[in-house]
Amino acid sequence: MKTLLITPPIAKIRVAFHQSPSLPLGLAYIAAVLDQSHNVKILDNYLENLDKEELKKRIHLVKPEIVGITSDSFSFSYAGEIANAVKEVDKNIITVMGGPHANVFPDAPLKHDSIDISVYGEGELTVIELWNKIEKGGSLKDVKGIGYKNNDKIVINPPRELIKNLDELPFPARHLFPMDRYERREKQYLDNIEPIDWMNTSRGCVFNCTFCDTREIFGIYRFRSPENIVDECELLVNKYGIKGVYFREALFTLNKKRVLGICSELKERGLDIVWACDSRIDTIDKEM
């Protein structure tokens, strides 16, 4: 099915914390699984910042059957405006919303007249099943991890099980994004290293800190293998010419054996890159 995936523009409340646009990794993972069976286009409106009329022109050019919109809580109202624009172009286009806001409040998007379906939890397996159901005209009642409307009544289906083996996921579909337009720098940790890219190598957490939503949204801790991680690093070096990687996740160093395995794999393959990560100091020792 012809699909357009859209990110909202930056919310005004976030301007004070504005960072230069970078690849939206979550959406890139969704694009990667859909790209295997469907015709997928991307409109990163965080990068483009199109007004409503320009947005409608772009939607009209693509002529999608489904539009997927990602949104956090800050940009939720902007995501709703995008959904309105979609329906003004063609009311028959199916609108699906996912992202952090829908993860926590799966019913919230469905209170918006222009949003047909919400996706919550890990979206990769959910969107594969959802898109196939829509394409074949099947019922949505058995699709886990979604909410939808049934005769104006909001229905929230049971959650989908967490993905156990993250190595089975394809790498983010960077080839669908305008990589040359992103400012591929990380000023806090990798200053003067350019270009760099972002990667996620795990999901979830074993801790339950009050200031963090990682465990609430992503559940129990799961991680990718060193070989799979360095395969992606190698791709980034060879195809996108990166000089550094920021492992952008909550707890990179939890599994010591895995971290040492990543270091060994990088050395064995001769990948001359600088990298940075986020973690907890009590998960790091002298050997690491």
Side-chain angles (χ1 to χ4, degrees):
M1 297 190 73
K2 203 164 189 180
T3 300
L4 179 62
L5 301 179
I6 305 178
T7 62
I10 185 171
K12 292 177 182 176
I13 195 172
R14 295 184 62 184
V15 170
F17 306 100
H18 176 58
Q19 293 181 330
S20 299
S22 60
L23 177 75
L25 273 176
L27 196 67
Y29 270 107
I30 297 299
V33 296
L34 289 175
D35 191 47
Q36 296 175 337
S37 304
H38 302 277
N39 181 351
V40 180
K41 303 291 184 184
I42 302 293
L43 199 171
D44 186 351
N45 211 30
Y46 187 93
L47 178 69
E48 304 259 6
N49 199 26
L50 303 178
D51 64 26
K52 187 175 182 179
E53 290 308 311
E54 292 171 323
L55 182 65
K56 287 168 66 174
K57 289 178 183 177
R58 190 74 66 88
I59 295 166
H60 181 73
L61 283 172
V62 175
K63 292 181 171 57
E65 298 165 85
I66 304 180
V67 169
I69 307 165
T70 184
S71 175
D72 59 20
S73 297
F74 292 117
S75 58
F76 181 62
S77 62
Y78 293 88
E81 291 174 9
I82 290 172
N84 286 339
V86 172
K87 292 296 188 180
E88 287 175 21
V89 171
D90 184 348
K91 62 181 176 57
N92 294 313
I93 298 173
I94 296 171
T95 52
V96 181
M97 181 177 287
H101 193 76
N103 280 343
V104 180
F105 306 108
D107 62 327
L110 302 171
K111 296 175 182 178
H112 196 290
D113 291 341
S114 296
I115 299 171
D116 300 314
I117 302 170
S118 68
V119 173
Y120 71 99
E122 291 181 312
E124 289 88 357
L125 301 184
T126 299
V127 297
I128 292 173
E129 183 179 358
L130 176 61
W131 259 241
N132 289 340
K133 286 281 188 181
I134 292 171
E135 187 172 34
K136 296 174 183 177
S139 170
L140 302 182
K141 67 178 183 178
D142 296 323
V143 181
K144 293 181 178 179
I146 70 164
Y148 62 99
K149 298 169 185 174
N150 184 12
N151 296 324
D152 295 326
K153 179 184 177 182
I154 292 176
V155 179
I156 305 298
N157 289 352
R160 184 173 295 273
E161 298 80 5
L162 295 174
I163 299 170
K164 294 180 180 179
N165 183 3
L166 299 181
D167 283 4
E168 294 179 351
L169 293 174
F171 297 149
R174 293 177 174 87
H175 63 285
L176 297 177
F177 289 78
M179 295 294 291
D180 59 327
R181 295 188 58 190
Y182 295 118
E183 186 176 349
R184 295 161 63 199
R185 295 190 295 156
E186 211 301 312
K187 298 175 183 178
Q188 185 173 2
Y189 302 121
L190 295 171
D191 197 21
N192 299 320
I193 306 296
E194 193 176 350
I196 67 111
D197 213 326
W198 288 259
M199 282 178 56
N200 288 340
T201 73
S202 68
R203 292 182 180 179
C205 191
V206 299
F207 300 103
N208 198 21
C209 302
T210 58
F211 56 80
C212 180
D213 63 0
T214 297
R215 183 166 178 171
E216 180 181 355
I217 292 177
F218 294 108
I220 60 171
Y221 184 72
R222 293 148 294 139
F223 54 84
R224 295 165 56 188
S225 68
E227 294 77 15
N228 180 261
I229 293 163
V230 180
D231 282 346
E232 187 175 353
C233 289
E234 198 163 40
L235 172 69
L236 292 175
V237 169
N238 293 336
K239 187 171 182 178
Y240 298 102
I242 65 154
K243 304 295 183 184
V245 174
Y246 177 22
F247 296 117
R248 194 172 61 183
E249 58 203 69
L251 203 55
F252 182 78
T253 60
L254 179 65
N255 186 310
K256 176 180 176 179
K257 181 179 179 181
R258 186 183 80 122
V259 175
L260 297 180
I262 293 168
C263 294
S264 296
E265 195 74 21
L266 286 169
K267 289 180 179 179
E268 287 178 13
R269 301 196 198 184
L271 292 179
D272 185 18
I273 57 173
V274 178
W275 58 269
C277 68
D278 293 326
S279 197
R280 284 171 57 120
I281 193 65
D282 59 359
T283 65
I284 300 169
D285 61 16
K286 186 175 181 179
E287 181 185 4
M288 191 185 298

